[in-house]
Amino acid sequence: MRVVVATGRMFRSVRPYLEEAGIDDPVVCYQGAVVAEPASGRFLRHEPIPVELAKEAIAAIDAEDFPVNCYVDDELYVARHTAESHAYSSFQNLTVHEVGDLVEWLEKPATKLVAVGEPTRLDVLEERMKVRFDGRLYISKSLPYFLEFASPQVTKASGLAFLAEHLGFARKRTVAFGDGENDVELLEWAGYGVAVANAHERVLAAADFMCPPVDEEGVAQVIEAFLHSVR
């Protein structure tokens, strides 16, 4: 059995947890924009947002008065440090680089962008941005206060599909777990999708089964039950 981590986090953010858990298989990160090898740090897949499109998105988010996180070369950049950037860096234990005007600064494709803000305001922003960038960007919430923007070819499912071909495991034999809106495509892709209790309503609708919540170690319960059944 393989355990594959699929996350919206930066590679540098998730790498220490993979090392601690002893997971050597490649990780799907940045919502699927990157598939990387934990040991070597080599990117096997990278689907960034083209420079001009990233600049357009940054300008659109900034015009709505939301701070933007911009990810380039596995580093995090902001126009200026804010309470939101400090909270985000503390949450993910990251260094944040302040660069001034992001639109002027950006010269390389951005792996992803994140608008940070109050959840109900982000819901409104999500609706407007999905209309404006329909077909040009993948837009989804990872957590209630993070609205993420990526290349339209990017989802956790596309990252896992790449990895399935790379490692040689079958879609129909894959079990995926998720709770956030950005996990919908992942559960739809897998042969069997499991939603964690209290998951986003779209995740619950896409799932084949619901397991107990995080504080009851629901994912571990399902994996342990599976391992016990095949002994």
Side-chain angles (χ1 to χ4, degrees):
M1 183 181 74
R2 293 184 183 274
V3 176
V4 174
V5 174
T7 178
R9 290 192 178 203
M10 304 169 66
F11 175 59
R12 69 168 56 249
S13 174
V14 73
R15 193 177 192 181
Y17 298 101
L18 300 173
E19 292 174 351
E20 184 178 351
I23 296 175
D24 298 322
D25 283 329
V27 57
V28 178
C29 45
Y30 286 106
Q31 307 296 4
V34 168
V35 176
E37 294 177 333
S40 68
R42 183 167 68 101
F43 283 13
L44 304 176
R45 179 190 198 233
H46 187 204
E47 295 285 345
I49 305 170
V51 173
E52 291 306 315
L53 180 56
K55 288 187 175 188
E56 181 186 348
I58 291 168
I61 299 165
D62 187 61
E64 299 277 358
D65 201 28
F66 287 90
V68 181
N69 291 347
C70 181
Y71 301 80
V72 177
D73 293 336
D74 208 30
E75 296 283 353
L76 172 54
Y77 300 90
V78 297
R80 62 186 181 282
H81 286 299
T82 63
E84 289 85 359
S85 69
H86 285 298
Y88 189 90
S89 62
S90 298
F91 169 67
Q92 302 237 24
N93 193 28
L94 298 170
T95 299
V96 181
H97 306 283
E98 184 178 26
V99 297
D101 188 326
L102 279 170
V103 173
E104 292 295 324
W105 170 83
L106 188 65
E107 295 181 347
K108 295 181 179 180
T111 302
K112 75 170 183 177
L113 306 170
V114 177
V116 184
E118 193 273 327
T120 56
R121 289 187 64 227
L122 278 182
D123 288 341
V124 177
L125 178 68
E126 181 176 9
E127 291 181 7
R128 286 203 287 267
M129 294 297 101
K130 282 184 173 179
V131 171
R132 175 166 179 167
F133 293 100
D134 183 32
R136 297 194 293 149
L137 288 172
Y138 170 75
I139 302 173
S140 181
K141 278 190 171 183
S142 53
L143 291 171
Y145 34 86
F146 298 148
L147 182 62
E148 313 225 356
F149 298 73
S151 163
Q153 289 79 32
V154 165
T155 64
K156 289 183 181 180
S158 68
L160 190 60
F162 170 89
L163 194 50
E165 183 175 352
H166 179 75
L167 294 178
F169 61 85
R171 174 179 182 176
K172 65 181 180 180
R173 294 179 59 83
T174 301
V175 179
F177 299 84
D179 62 350
E181 185 183 8
N182 60 329
D183 293 318
V184 170
E185 295 87 358
L186 180 66
L187 268 62
E188 290 175 339
W189 181 88
Y192 195 76
V194 181
V196 177
N198 302 319
H200 189 281
E201 60 184 14
R202 290 185 59 210
V203 178
L204 293 171
D208 300 297
F209 179 74
M210 183 176 71
C211 71
V214 173
D215 57 6
E216 296 179 25
E217 299 183 339
V219 174
Q221 287 187 43
V222 174
I223 293 174
E224 288 170 358
F226 170 76
L227 293 175
H228 180 75
S229 71
V230 297
R231 285 174 184 169

